[in-house]
Amino acid sequence: MIQFEKVRKRFRRHLVLKSVDLTVDRGHRLALVGSNGAGKTTLIRCLLGEYICEGRVTVDGMDPRRHRREVLSKVGFVPQLPPPLRMPVRQLVHFAASLCGADPERMNHVADRLGLDVKHFRKQPFVKLSGGQKQKLLIAIALGRDSELLVMDEPAANLDPEARHIFFKLLAEKKDTSAMIISSHRLDEVASLVNRVVEMDQGEIVLDDRVADLVELSSRLRCRVALIRPEEAFAKAISEWGFEGSDDGRVWEGLVAGPDRLRFLGVLSRYAALLGSIAMDEAEAPVTGHA
């Protein structure tokens, strides 16, 4: 579906992409990882036709620069930084839907599933929404359409745990029919979402590896954490995951989205000296169809 052939991009004297070769097919959920400045965002912008570059970039055989409208009609894009749009929310949804011939109600429905009532904010300028609200709306616009390619840059960064779980369910519904490129500077943030990892460093691909596709995107884990003693800092951190504690603050229970397990364990690792026991079990059957 996507083909990069000897792609080079230079900004003045600085060569940002150095002859990149990469093929991404439908069904691939690709983590594009690397430190800041590795070339990830530049590669994505070449894919979206925003940059002129040397070499060849195609999406289903089409050049993103020469066939920009056709290519973008296939793409659902979630940027890392929300654009500073002053357009009211309702107008933005209808405008985005009109560009790809989508039904704005489908976007509203996805937003509702993520916990954002678009109708409540319909007259509010996009720029006035909170970070989490902006992210939910951008995801709803990207996923509430028949996109064959999802390109997402740190897509779940501003989402609360429940919204992250719904987001992973939405990805599960598209995993067999779409290609996905998920950019992140941390592999542990996206490892459970993908079946392929591409690492970039200084404008080059230094790793391209298929990984075990064992985590069901729509799964959830029931977790129980017992502490040696209560700790206020731990209580604050785990409460943000929606966990509830016992009266003495020593036992905490809650649900964690399956793809978030590494991220959750990373939070627990900060309090390793306090941990008495951890139990994690599958909480519900995975969702395999559309909700």
Side-chain angles (χ1 to χ4, degrees), residues 1 34 47 49 58 60 62 72 86 92 101 108 127 142 148 159 161 167 203 243 248 257 259 261 283 285:
M1 181 178 186
L47 172 63
T58 58
D60 280 347
M62 294 182 291
L72 292 183
R86 298 192 174 277
L92 175 58
N108 290 340
V127 73
E148 300 173 44
L159 299 182
F167 172 57
F243 275 56
D248 63 2
R261 66 187 70 194

Side-chain angles (χ1 to χ4, degrees), residues 151-222:
V151 180
M152 299 168 282
D153 199 347
E154 306 282 3
N158 291 316
L159 299 182
D160 56 85
E162 179 60 26
R164 287 175 70 94
H165 175 57
I166 299 300
F167 172 57
F168 299 146
K169 280 188 174 184
L170 291 164
L171 293 186
E173 294 167 6
K174 288 181 173 287
K175 68 177 185 178
D176 296 324
T177 58
S178 302
M180 302 182 192
I181 298 178
I182 305 174
S183 177
S184 178
H185 66 283
R186 291 181 54 182
L187 179 57
D188 63 337
E189 287 281 337
V190 296
S192 298
L193 296 176
V194 302
N195 54 22
R196 184 179 173 190
V197 175
V198 171
E199 182 178 358
M200 295 189 68
D201 184 40
Q202 298 183 25
E204 297 180 296
I205 292 177
V206 295
L207 173 71
D208 186 351
D209 196 15
R210 297 298 296 264
V211 296
D213 192 9
L214 300 177
V215 177
E216 171 56 50
L217 295 179
S218 61
S219 66
R220 251 183 175 174
L221 301 172
R222 182 178 291 107

